[in-house]
Amino acid sequence: MAVVLWFATGILVRPDLCTARESLSVGGSWHFATDKKSEGIRERWFAGHKYENTIELPGTMDLAGYGDPAPKADIDNQWTFGWRRPLVYTGSAWFEREVVIPQTWAGKRITLFLEQTRSESTVWIDGSQVSPTEVSLLTSHRHDLGFSLTPGRHRITLRLDNSNKRGIGGSYVRSAMGQGNWQGVTGCMELQATDPLWIENVRFDPTDGSLAEITVKLGNITGKRLS
């Protein structure tokens, strides 16, 4: 649903004051396992798996000491020549931890926000996938978990894959000339709660010297039609 409003220009927009979102950090120690052969989905690791390692997230595998030795630098190869990470890993990896959802979040819509990761992320809650796989190299990943996280204890399983997914993996940003093809999550990593009716997006389009068009897109999972 989109609502179009008209305003005079010169209004100072302060999104930090307009955000009515509650959040819960999921940073910290996660159970962890590599899955270079991509066997985890077939073997249903999301339904229960013995993870032998732990890793701190936000963070990356190489800085935690996991991965293979970096290849020898080649000036003619953008994947090896440039800013070299201490270790390299290409493929999928699994991360899992428990969270406790507060009673005050009862009836809230909840999303998992991952500020920066590589290529592909998939999320399971208590063994069930509850949102589509996100694929992006540059934008944040946001998984809409709906009402699946009721108050109490839940298990979050996160599968990340930094291989060349859907043709975007060959991007410059993944090369040694960019940031390198790290594996993990960096930046903000949290659960975010909103009401079942929320502001999904706001777009500001100036039309002339005195007017602008603001388009507000609302999200609605109340099951009720707005009038």
Side-chain angles (χ1 to χ4, degrees), residues 139-213:
T139 60
S140 300
H141 290 201
R142 189 186 300 272
H143 291 271
D144 193 334
L145 310 180
F147 297 116
S148 61
L149 284 176
T150 55
R153 189 174 297 274
H154 294 275
R155 175 168 50 92
I156 299 179
T157 306
L158 177 62
R159 179 184 184 269
L160 304 179
D161 192 340
N162 68 346
S163 56
N164 189 354
K165 288 294 179 178
R166 308 183 194 184
I168 68 171
S171 169
Y172 169 86
V173 73
R174 289 175 72 248
S175 74
M177 301 298 290
Q179 296 180 9
N181 191 31
W182 48 267
Q183 171 65 293
V185 181
T186 61
C188 178
M189 186 179 186
E190 64 184 13
L191 294 170
Q192 300 173 345
T194 72
D195 290 327
L197 176 64
W198 70 96
I199 296 176
E200 180 70 26
N201 182 267
V202 178
R203 177 169 174 165
F204 183 88
D205 293 301
T207 56
D208 58 35
S210 60
L211 294 175
E213 182 181 86

Side-chain angles (χ1 to χ4, degrees), residues 25-35 40-41 44-49 51 53 55-61 89 91-99 111-136 140-145 149 154-162 182-191:
S25 172
V26 291
S29 181
W30 287 66
H31 300 291
F32 160 73
T34 58
D35 183 21
I41 292 180
R44 296 177 57 83
W45 289 10
F46 50 83
H49 181 71
Y51 294 92
N53 299 311
I55 191 171
E56 292 292 314
L57 294 180
T60 61
M61 276 181 51
Y89 177 84
S92 61
W94 293 71
F95 308 83
E96 187 172 282
R97 68 163 297 175
E98 287 191 339
V99 296
T111 60
L112 174 63
F113 178 78
L114 308 175
E115 184 172 353
Q116 186 68 74
T117 186
R118 275 291 174 266
S119 294
E120 185 175 285
S121 66
T122 310
V123 177
W124 290 263
I125 302 296
D126 299 324
S128 298
Q129 185 177 344
V130 293
S131 70
T133 295
E134 289 279 330
V135 182
S136 176
S140 300
H141 290 201
R142 189 186 300 272
H143 291 271
D144 193 334
L145 310 180
L149 284 176
H154 294 275
R155 175 168 50 92
I156 299 179
T157 306
L158 177 62
R159 179 184 184 269
L160 304 179
D161 192 340
N162 68 346
W182 48 267
Q183 171 65 293
V185 181
T186 61
C188 178
M189 186 179 186
E190 64 184 13
L191 294 170

